[in-house]
C-alpha cells in the first residue's frame, strides 16, 4: 500500500521537480480581441485628438485680451465724458435737465408772486433734485442715463404744465422777468453809487494809526519848548533861499506820507545835503509835522515846515477860491449832502478845494526868492535822483510835466466843458492833458507870464462850476495852457492808486511813482502789489511808529 500511494505522487511532478496544479485549479487562458476592433479604436483616438487640437487653436485665436485691474481703471478714466459738451448737446439728458431747470426757476418766481407757495415749493424741490443729479454727473464725469433723468424730467414737465395751466403764460413770464430785470438794474445802480460813497469816505478818512502818530507828535511839540525854538532857528537859514541848492515843495497834512516823500527823495539823491524841502501844512498838523522833521535826520537835508495861516495875503480879497469857499452854496456842495446822486461822488471831496491842495498855484508867492522848484504830491514815492530835473530846458515854459493822453483819452475835452464859449473860443479841445504830482516849475517864467493871475481869472469864470466840476487839474490845464513843457514818461508813472495792471518794468524804470486814486498806500484798501514800494521808505523801528503799530 505504501508503494502504490507514492507512484502517483511522482507522476504529478515535472522534470524539474516542480509540482503541477490539477487542471481544475489552473487559470483560464486570455482571449485576444479581433484586429478590426483595435483598428476602429485607433481611428477614434486619432480623430478625437485632431478635434481637440483644432478646438484649442480656435479658443486661443478669439480669446479677448487679459486686462488687469490697474489698466481697467485707466481705460475707464480716459473714457470720462466732457460734461460741458454734454450740457451743450441738444440730445443729452443733461441739456434737457438744465433747460427744464431754468424754466422751472422762472415759474418759481411767478408762483411766489401769485401766492402759490405749494407749487413754488414743489418746483424748488425738483430743481434741487435736478441740481444734485447734474452735480453728480459733473463730478463722476459720466453721461446721465435715461433711467436717472426720466423721473425728474417727467415731474418737472408736470409741474411746468401745471404752472402754465395756472395762466403763467409766456407773455406774463416776459413781463414779470422784465420788471425783475429793471428792478435789479436799479439796485445795481444804487449799489454802484453806494460803493463810490463808501470808497470816497475811506479815501478821505485818516487811519487811526496815522492819527495816533499825529497825536503823539503834537503832544511832544507842546511839552518840549526846545522844538519850537529850533523851528524858529531853521526859519532863518540861508539855505532856504540859496538858488544853488535843489528846492522841493510839498503841501500836505499827512505827516507819514510827507516823510515818505522826503525820505525817498534823499535816499536816491547823489548829494542829499544839497536838497531843501519846503513843507506847508495846516494849523492842526503844524506841531506834529514840525516835531517829526526835528527829531529825525534825513541824511543832512534841510526841511522847512510852515503853516498855511502864516500867508496873510491868502484871503478872500486876493483869492477867488477863498472867497468861493466862504459862500454857503459852495460849502453845501463840498461839505454837505448832495441831492443829485448821479453826479460823481469824487467831485464832492473837500480835499479837491482845500487851500493846501491849491497852494501849488501860489508857489512864487510862497517862495519869492527862488528860481526853480520841483513840486511833489504827498502820495508819490521817488526812486531816482531828481536833481537832474533842474537841468532840463523848459524853453521858456512855466511847468514841466508828463503828458497823459493816449489817442482820445485824457485830452482837454475830457476835463473841461467846451459847450461854454469862454473855453471853446480860447482852448483847443484836442490838446494833450498832463499830470500834477511831480512837476518842475520855472518861477522866473511864472512871474513873467503872471500865471497866478491866469489861475484867478479861470477860478472867477468857474464860480458857478460850469467850466469844470472841481479839482486842481482842470484849473492847471487852463492856467498853464501853452506854458507846459512835456517830460519823458519815465519821470512820472501814475495809477498806483487805482490800476492793478501796471507793467513792473515801467514801475522799476520810473523816477517817481504816483498813487493817484482812492487806494492810497497808507489805507487798508491800498493795492497790495504796490504797497511795499511805499512801506520800504518808513522807519518801522522808530519808537512812535512802533507804539502806533503802523506796520
Amino acid at each position: 500500500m505504501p508503494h502504490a500511494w507514492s507512484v502517483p505522487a511522482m507522476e504529478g511532478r515535472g522534470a524539474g521537480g516542480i509540482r503541477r496544479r490539477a487542471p481544475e485549479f489552473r487559470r483560464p487562458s486570455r482571449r485576444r480581441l479581433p484586429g478590426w476592433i483595435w483598428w476602429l479604436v485607433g481611428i477614434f483616438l486619432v480623430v478625437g485628438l485632431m478635434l481637440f487640437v483644432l478646438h484649442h487653436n480656435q479658443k486661443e485665436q478669439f480669446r479677448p485680451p487679459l486686462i488687469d485691474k490697474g489698466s481697467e481703471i485707466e481705460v475707464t478714466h480716459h473714457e470720462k465724458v466732457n460734461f460741458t459738451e454734454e450740457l451743450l448737446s441738444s440730445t443729452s439728458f443733461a441739456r434737457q435737465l438744465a433747460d427744464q431747470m431754468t424754466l422751472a426757476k422762472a415759474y418759481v418766481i411767478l408762483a411766489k408772486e401769485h401766492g402759490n407757495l405749494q407749487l413754488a415749493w414743489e418746483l424748488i424741490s425738483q430743481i434741487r433734485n435736478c441740481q444734485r443729479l447734474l452735480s453728480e454727473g459733473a463730478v463722476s464725469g459720466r453721461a446721465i442715463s435715461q433711467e436717472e433723468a426720466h423721473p425728474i424730467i417727467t415731474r418737472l414737465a408736470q409741474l411746468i404744465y401745471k404752472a402754465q395751466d395756472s395762466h403763467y403764460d409766456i407773455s406774463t413770464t416776459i413781463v414779470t422777468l422784465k420788471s425783475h430785470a429793471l428792478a435789479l438794474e436799479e439796485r445795481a445802480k444804487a449799489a454802484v453809487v453806494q460803493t463810490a460813497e463808501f470808497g470816497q469816505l475811506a479815501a478821505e478818512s485818516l487811519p487811526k494809526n496815522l492819527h495816533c502818530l499825529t497825536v503823539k507828535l503834537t503832544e511832544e511839540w507842546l511839552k518840549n519848548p526846545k522844538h519850537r525854538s529850533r523851528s524858529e532857528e531853521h526859519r532863518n537859514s540861508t539855505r532856504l533861499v540859496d538858488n544853488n541848492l535843489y528846492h522841493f515843495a510839498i503841501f500836505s497834512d499827512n505827516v507819514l506820507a510827507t516823510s515818505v516823500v522826503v525820505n525817498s527823495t534823499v535816499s536816491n539823491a547823489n548829494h542829499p545835503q544839497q536838497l531843501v524841502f519846503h513843507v506847508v501844512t495846516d494849523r492842526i498838523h503844524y506841531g506834529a509835522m514840525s516835531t517829526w522833521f526835528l527829531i529825525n535826520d534825513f541824511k543832512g537835508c534841510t526841511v522847512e515846515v510852515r503853516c498855511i495861516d502864516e500867508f496873510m495875503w491868502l484871503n478872500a480879497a486876493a483869492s477867488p477860491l477863498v472867497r468861493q469857499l466862504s459862500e454857503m452854496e459852495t460849502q453845501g456842495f463840498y461839505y454837505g449832502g448832495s441831492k443829485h446822486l448821479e453826479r460823481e461822488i469824487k467831485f464832492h471831496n473837500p480835499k479837491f478845494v482845500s487851500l493846501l491842495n491849491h497852494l501849488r498855484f501860489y508857489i512864487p508867492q510862497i517862495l519869492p526868492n527862488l528860481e526853480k522848484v520841483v513840486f511833489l504830491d504827498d502820495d508819490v514815492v521817488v526812486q531816482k535822483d531828481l536833481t537832474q530835473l533842474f537841468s532840463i530846458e523848459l524853453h521858456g515854459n512855466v511847468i514841466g510835466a508828463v503828458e497823459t493822453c493816449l489817442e482820445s483819452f485824457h485830452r482837454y475835452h475830457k476835463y473841461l466843458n467846451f459847450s461854454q464859449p469862454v473855453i471853446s473860443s480860447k482852448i483847443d479841445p484836442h490838446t494833450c492833458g498832463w499830470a500834477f504830482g511831480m512837476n518842475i516849475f520855472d518861477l522866473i517864467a511864472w512871474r513873467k507870464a503872471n500865471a497866478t493871475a491866469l489861475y484867478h481869472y479861470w477860478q472867477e469864470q468857474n464860480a458857478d462850476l460850469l467850466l469844470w466840476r472841481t479839482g486842481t487839474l482842470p484849473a492847471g490845464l487852463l492856467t498853464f495852457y501853452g506854458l507846459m513843457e512835456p517830460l519823458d514818461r519815465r519821470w512820472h508813472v501814475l495809477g498806483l492808486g487805482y490800476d492793478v495792471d501796471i507793467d513792473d518794468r515801467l514801475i522799476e524804470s520810473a523816477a517817481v511813482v504816483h498813487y493817484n486814486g482812492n487806494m492810497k498806500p497808507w489805507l487798508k484798501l491800498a493795492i497790495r502789489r504796490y504797497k511795499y514800494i511805499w512801506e520800504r521808505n518808513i522807519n518801522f523801528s522808530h519808537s512812535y511808529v512802533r507804539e502806533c503799530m503802523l506796520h
Side-chain angles (χ1 to χ4, degrees):
M1 290 299 293
H3 181 76
W5 177 84
S6 62
V7 174
M10 290 297 295
E11 294 176 354
R13 297 176 184 269
I18 298 175
R19 187 179 177 180
R20 292 182 179 179
R21 291 183 181 181
E24 60 273 13
F25 294 104
R26 292 180 184 175
R27 290 180 181 176
S29 59
R30 294 181 179 177
R31 296 181 179 180
R32 292 184 178 181
L33 294 174
W36 64 272
I37 294 178
W38 287 109
W39 279 104
L40 186 62
V41 171
I43 292 171
F44 275 114
L45 288 175
V46 172
V47 172
L49 181 61
M50 292 176 63
L51 290 175
F52 174 76
V53 172
L54 181 62
H55 180 68
H56 181 72
N57 290 338
Q58 289 179 347
K59 288 180 64 177
E60 290 294 329
Q61 182 178 359
F62 294 103
R63 178 179 295 176
L66 294 176
I67 303 176
D68 58 6
K69 292 184 179 180
S71 62
E72 184 178 356
I73 293 173
E74 185 178 0
V75 170
T76 304
H77 174 75
H78 286 294
E79 290 180 353
K80 285 187 176 182
V81 298
N82 189 328
F83 203 73
T84 303
E85 294 180 357
E86 280 287 301
L87 290 174
L88 296 176
S89 175
S90 59
T91 59
S92 67
F93 291 106
R95 173 66 178 273
Q96 296 181 41
L97 287 170
D99 291 344
Q100 280 199 323
M101 183 174 63
T102 303
L103 186 59
K105 287 180 179 179
Y107 280 119
V108 167
I109 298 174
L110 294 172
K112 286 182 178 180
E113 286 193 347
H114 289 79
N116 195 343
L117 300 182
Q118 178 64 26
L119 176 59
W121 182 85
E122 292 177 358
L123 285 167
I124 292 173
S125 177
Q126 292 304 316
I127 289 172
R128 288 175 179 171
N129 292 336
C130 183
Q131 290 173 336
R132 177 184 54 78
L133 184 57
L134 289 173
S135 63
E136 290 177 356
V139 171
S140 62
R142 59 178 178 81
I144 297 175
S145 63
Q146 181 179 0
E147 291 76 13
E148 295 173 318
H150 181 71
I152 299 177
I153 292 177
T154 302
R155 184 55 183 157
L156 275 175
Q158 293 173 352
L159 293 173
I160 291 172
Y161 177 79
K162 184 177 179 181
Q164 292 174 345
D165 194 46
S166 300
H167 303 291
Y168 305 156
D169 54 5
I170 296 299
S171 59
T172 304
T173 305
I174 293 174
V175 172
T176 304
L177 292 179
K178 186 176 181 180
S179 64
H180 277 283
L182 292 175
L184 289 174
E185 187 177 352
E186 291 298 324
R187 289 175 60 185
K189 289 181 179 179
V192 169
V193 173
Q194 192 176 46
T195 302
E197 289 178 344
F198 290 157
Q200 193 61 51
L201 287 174
E204 295 172 15
S205 63
L206 183 69
K208 62 179 181 180
N209 294 334
L210 295 184
H211 180 69
C212 166
L213 179 64
T214 301
V215 170
K216 287 186 175 295
L217 290 171
T218 303
E219 183 181 8
E220 176 73 18
W221 170 263
L222 296 174
K223 289 194 306 182
N224 196 336
K226 294 182 179 179
H227 293 327
R228 294 191 289 274
S229 60
R230 286 181 58 194
S231 178
E232 290 298 327
E233 290 176 4
H234 287 177
R235 294 285 187 92
N236 300 322
S237 174
T238 58
R239 292 171 57 87
L240 300 178
V241 295
D242 188 351
N243 281 294
N244 294 317
L245 302 178
Y246 303 101
H247 295 265
F248 299 84
I250 307 172
F251 310 130
S252 174
D253 57 1
N254 189 325
V255 176
L256 194 63
T258 305
S259 175
V260 168
V261 176
V262 173
N263 190 37
S264 63
T265 305
V266 299
S267 298
N268 291 281
N270 294 328
H271 304 285
Q273 300 84 0
Q274 299 180 8
L275 273 57
V276 181
F277 293 88
H278 304 270
V279 179
V280 180
T281 187
D282 56 19
R283 181 173 61 248
I284 297 175
H285 298 87
Y286 174 72
M289 191 79 74
S290 300
T291 303
W292 179 260
F293 287 104
L294 286 171
I295 65 177
N296 293 288
D297 177 66
F298 292 89
K299 296 188 176 182
C301 72
T302 301
V303 181
E304 176 198 23
V305 180
R306 301 177 68 181
C307 179
I308 193 173
D309 292 346
E310 299 175 18
F311 308 140
M312 303 304 297
W313 45 264
L314 190 61
N315 50 50
S319 172
L321 178 65
V322 177
R323 184 166 60 254
Q324 290 167 9
L325 288 177
S326 64
E327 299 174 357
M328 295 299 296
E329 184 178 353
T330 306
Q331 290 181 359
F333 181 83
Y334 292 109
Y335 298 95
S338 175
K339 297 181 180 178
H340 303 287
L341 292 179
E342 68 274 7
R343 305 190 72 173
E344 293 188 42
I345 301 298
K346 69 177 182 178
F347 291 132
H348 295 273
N349 186 354
K351 183 178 180 181
F352 282 125
V353 291
S354 69
L355 290 179
L356 279 178
N357 206 32
H358 282 255
L359 280 184
R360 63 193 69 187
F361 296 104
Y362 297 99
I363 292 179
Q365 287 82 2
I366 298 172
L367 305 171
N369 298 311
L370 298 183
E371 297 175 355
K372 275 192 175 182
V373 171
V374 170
F375 166 73
L376 296 173
D377 263 336
D378 62 359
D379 54 354
V380 305
V381 175
V382 178
Q383 300 186 126
K384 299 288 189 299
D385 187 5
L386 295 186
T387 58
Q388 299 177 19
L389 275 172
F390 291 83
S391 60
I392 293 178
E393 177 60 49
L394 298 182
H395 302 99
N397 291 312
V398 175
I399 181 176
V402 171
E403 293 181 324
T404 57
C405 60
L406 179 63
E407 296 179 357
S408 63
F409 297 102
H410 297 290
R411 296 188 182 272
Y412 270 46
H413 63 82
K414 293 293 182 179
Y415 302 97
L416 304 169
N417 182 11
F418 277 85
S419 65
Q420 299 295 316
V422 67
I423 288 184
S424 59
S425 62
K426 300 177 180 179
I427 307 295
D428 180 6
H430 300 290
T431 303
C432 187
W434 44 269
F436 271 132
M438 194 289 303
N439 308 99
I440 174 72
F441 287 105
D442 184 342
L443 300 186
I444 297 176
W446 183 314
R447 297 182 184 100
K448 183 178 179 180
N450 200 6
T452 302
L454 292 173
Y455 165 71
H456 287 165
Y457 167 78
W458 287 113
Q459 281 289 346
E460 290 280 5
Q461 296 297 318
N462 195 44
D464 50 5
L465 302 179
L466 292 179
L467 303 186
W468 71 88
R469 298 288 185 85
T470 185
T472 56
L473 183 55
L477 295 176
L478 292 172
T479 300
F480 302 111
Y481 179 69
L483 301 174
M484 191 277 296
E485 180 69 20
L487 301 178
D488 188 285
R489 184 186 180 190
R490 290 171 295 181
W491 279 110
H492 188 193
V493 172
L494 299 103
L496 277 71
Y498 67 89
D499 189 354
V500 298
D501 295 321
I502 302 176
D503 192 340
D504 290 333
R505 293 170 297 180
L506 183 61
I507 294 177
E508 292 174 3
S509 65
V512 174
V513 291
H514 195 169
Y515 292 83
N516 58 311
N518 284 338
M519 300 179 183
K520 301 299 183 186
W522 53 83
L523 300 176
K524 287 185 177 181
L525 49 80
I527 300 174
R528 186 170 298 276
R529 178 187 167 201
Y530 310 132
K531 197 169 184 177
Y532 78 95
I533 303 174
W534 190 78
E535 289 183 337
R536 67 189 178 190
N537 292 283
I538 300 175
N539 180 15
F540 288 103
S541 63
H542 194 282
S543 58
Y544 286 156
V545 175
R546 288 202 316 270
E547 290 175 13
C548 293
M549 297 182 295
L550 284 168
H551 190 38

